[in-house]
Amino acid sequence: MLIGYARVSTGDQDLAQQRAALKTAGCKRVYEEKVSGAKRDRPQLALLFDHLRADDVVTVTRLDRLARSTRDLLDIAERLDAAEVGLRSLAEPWADTTSPAGRMVLTVFAGIAEFERSLIHERTGRATAKAKGVRFGRPPALSGDQLALAQRLRDEGKRPREIAATLNVHVATLYRALSAGSGAERSAAE
């Protein structure tokens, strides 16, 4: 059975267009509410979930009527899937979990959301570690003492190839270390 869900955000908005579109689409029952989509506590949506049976299809005029965020949409879709219920959007034909293509699109969205969550976790973990003084990446090729020696030898007129040979590093490594060191000196002077 097709079951509709219609929602508007404020009391002064009208549900008539959504109701008509859902009835035209063949919905036998329509749950309606006037509440922000950002709220997780939506009484009519909860009631809809309570009355679902396997093989029902929850139909909305647009996905933003059902959920305000990708995470919220995926949570709802997972609940529907667990209840063996489909999801269909009239405005977004690709959002139809009763078809293989619609399930694939929702799976891609779920993968993107999971990827985004892992990036956020990684960024916040790195930020915390950096704040505690943890260094990331490869260790510097030259220690602070070696860098000071390289700068002194350069100031004395030694050629970069000689300095690099003395420190047992490639000349490109020496150039990078010296340019990074002079950038740090400039920052400290400012």
Side-chain angles (χ1 to χ4, degrees), residues 116-132 136:
E116 182 180 343
R117 280 192 308 276
S118 67
L119 287 179
I120 290 168
H121 177 70
E122 182 178 304
R123 280 195 305 265
T124 57
R126 286 180 66 89
T128 303
K130 275 188 170 185
K132 291 179 179 177
F136 292 94

Side-chain angles (χ1 to χ4, degrees), residues 66-79:
L66 184 61
R68 280 292 189 190
S69 70
T70 304
R71 179 72 257 150
D72 192 26
L73 175 62
L74 293 172
D75 288 343
I76 291 170
E78 285 174 13
R79 285 182 65 189

